[in-house]
Amino acid sequence: MDKSLTGKIRSARSPKIPRVAGQSMGWAQELETDGHGNLISALTYFLVGSECRFSCSMCDLWKYTLDAKKTPVGSLTLQIENLHRRIARESPNRNPREWLKLYNASNFFDPANVDPSEHATIAQWCRGFERVIVENHAALLARQNIRDSVLRFRDLLDGELEIAMGLETIDPQGRKWLNKSMSLDQFAKAVEFLGTEAIHVRAFVLLQPLGTPLADSVDWAVRSSQWAAQCGANRICLIPTRTGNGFIQSVAKQVAWQPPTARQLEQAFEKLLQDRLGQSALETSEVIYTVDLWDWDSMLGKCSTCSEPRHERLKQMNYSQCFQSDVASHLCDCRAIQIK
Ligand code: SF4
């Protein structure tokens, strides 16, 4: 970890809104492809616990964490239990095939974030879900005690386990600014370990991180995603880098950074799906590429006329894993505008 960069990242933060142990940030539901032509209902639980030990330069998840150094034991189970009850009330007609993402804004297998003594009760509350997805930093998976903890949790589940890890970028210029505290080799080894243990891997890749030249950012997003796939990640999710953590705004001018546009997201996704057509079935059979649309509304480079059809097209491409033509391209000239 670069201490001077970490200091700058942390000092750019705004004051945290106090969070209460045992009270979640809510839930969301979306559809995801299982890669075999089926759409699965995926619930995401936004759990509140202690802060991540790392300080990645683009991360704003610290906003949703407690000040406490350790997540109080039992508080995550309580949140999961309460969210199950709330969903049963608010959304009684559920898809029989469901996945559950337990996102705690840090690392599921860091004992400071999730005490291992709580794994068994959490696993009990995950009964019936076909797959459980948690997030974890790849460098932690170099430690034997963490690997053991992962395997124990996998064995406690009655469904499959998937671990989501941020690769972010393989661009050397972008990596200088990431403060990720992880080498590419550590990421590759973590993916390999999980693959040999029949644990699915989801990799997060950033579109236009700090430090990556704007003109090259689509290319680096594609190359980073393909590298993650070559390492063995089953699902690669491309996320537009967002502002809002303080640090990015503070250095944006210095490094000539600006938020990625809707067109850049489309271009990267189009390239990933089109490139796959040229690869062998063996190389691509298990790989799913998706784009994160959670922040679509705030993305630049679209207007009220084109926003909805473009969002729908990307959503359908997420589902089908097939390139679809941009039938609404004649409606406006947003796609041609270069934002400076
Ligand atoms: S490892 Fe994840 S949660 Fe932790 S600072 Fe980095 S992006 Fe944020």
Side-chain angles (χ1 to χ4, degrees), residues 167 187 191 203 223-236 279 283-284 287-289:
L167 166 65
F187 183 87
V191 175
R223 288 169 66 179
S224 301
S225 302
Q226 291 173 338
W227 186 84
Q230 282 157 12
C231 285
N234 317 94
R235 184 177 298 259
I236 291 99
Q279 292 168 337
E283 277 177 296
T284 60
V287 182
I288 295 164
Y289 293 112

Side-chain angles (χ1 to χ4, degrees), residues 10 13 51-62 65 104-107 113 135-138 140 165-166 168 178-180 204:
R10 296 182 78 90
R13 291 179 175 183
E51 195 179 310
C52 174
R53 66 169 70 199
F54 302 99
S55 299
C56 302
S57 65
M58 73 302 175
C59 182
D60 57 6
L61 297 178
W62 49 269
T65 60
N104 59 324
S106 55
N107 301 294
N113 299 137
E135 295 176 304
N136 209 72
H137 191 289
L140 292 176
M165 304 188 294
E168 323 304 0
L178 269 183
N179 203 34
K180 188 76 197 169
F204 296 129

Side-chain angles (χ1 to χ4, degrees), residues 8 27 108 172 192 339:
K8 286 180 192 151
W27 65 284
F108 192 86
E192 186 186 8
I339 294 162

Side-chain angles (χ1 to χ4, degrees), residues 47 100-104 106-109 114 122 126 131-137 150 153 157 160-165 199-200 202 204:
L47 305 174
L100 177 62
K101 298 180 194 171
L102 298 177
Y103 284 0
N104 59 324
S106 55
N107 301 294
F108 192 86
F109 294 101
V114 181
I122 290 175
C126 293
R131 185 179 298 185
V132 174
I133 301 139
V134 298
E135 295 176 304
N136 209 72
H137 191 289
V150 167
F153 185 68
L157 294 172
E160 299 169 335
L161 176 61
E162 177 171 314
I163 298 190
M165 304 188 294
I199 297 168
H200 301 273
R202 178 176 302 229
F204 296 129

Side-chain angles (χ1 to χ4, degrees), residues 85-312:
R85 294 219 166 90
R86 192 170 141 194
I87 291 168
R89 280 197 311 273
E90 293 173 6
S91 182
N93 300 320
R94 308 255 298 284
N95 190 323
R97 288 190 68 193
E98 258 182 338
W99 294 353
L100 177 62
K101 298 180 194 171
L102 298 177
Y103 284 0
N104 59 324
S106 55
N107 301 294
F108 192 86
F109 294 101
D110 184 332
N113 299 137
V114 181
D115 193 290
S117 69
E118 207 174 335
H119 283 176
T121 46
I122 290 175
Q124 272 176 12
W125 283 102
C126 293
R127 289 243 158 105
F129 285 94
E130 192 176 291
R131 185 179 298 185
V132 174
I133 301 139
V134 298
E135 295 176 304
N136 209 72
H137 191 289
L140 292 176
L141 291 172
R143 302 182 188 180
Q144 193 55 49
N145 64 326
I146 304 280
R147 287 187 171 200
D148 292 343
S149 182
V150 167
L151 299 184
R152 276 195 299 272
F153 185 68
R154 177 202 61 185
D155 294 342
L156 287 165
L157 294 172
D158 66 348
E160 299 169 335
L161 176 61
E162 177 171 314
I163 298 190
M165 304 188 294
L167 166 65
E168 323 304 0
T169 185
I170 61 166
D171 169 25
Q173 296 184 77
R175 289 181 54 76
K176 276 189 207 153
W177 282 92
L178 269 183
N179 203 34
K180 188 76 197 169
S181 311
M182 175 195 81
S183 66
L184 294 181
D185 189 50
Q186 281 174 318
F187 183 87
K189 287 200 167 111
V191 175
E192 186 186 8
F193 160 70
L194 296 171
T196 57
E197 295 295 345
I199 297 168
H200 301 273
V201 176
R202 178 176 302 229
F204 296 129
V205 169
L206 288 174
L207 173 61
Q208 203 152 292
L210 278 178
T212 294
L214 304 187
D216 301 334
S217 62
V218 169
D219 188 41
W220 277 114
V222 170
R223 288 169 66 179
S224 301
S225 302
Q226 291 173 338
W227 186 84
Q230 282 157 12
C231 285
N234 317 94
R235 184 177 298 259
I236 291 99
C237 180
L238 189 56
I239 301 177
T241 304
R242 55 177 180 258
T243 54
N245 73 348
F247 181 71
I248 290 199
Q249 298 93 304
S250 73
V251 293
K253 257 201 186 138
Q254 182 192 337
V255 298
W257 182 86
Q258 68 181 25
T261 63
R263 184 66 198 129
Q264 286 174 300
L265 186 66
E266 291 168 331
Q267 284 173 326
F269 198 16
E270 288 164 2
K271 179 100 174 71
L272 281 168
L273 294 182
Q274 285 176 320
D275 274 8
R276 194 163 54 178
L277 291 176
Q279 292 168 337
S280 73
L282 191 64
E283 277 177 296
T284 60
S285 59
E286 294 296 324
V287 182
I288 295 164
Y289 293 112
T290 64
V291 289
D292 183 295
L293 296 171
W294 284 7
D295 287 323
W296 175 261
D297 288 345
S298 58
M299 287 192 81
L300 301 174
K302 55 189 175 42
C303 67
S304 54
T305 304
C306 69
S307 180
E308 203 281 326
R310 291 169 77 184
H311 179 274
E312 183 60 23

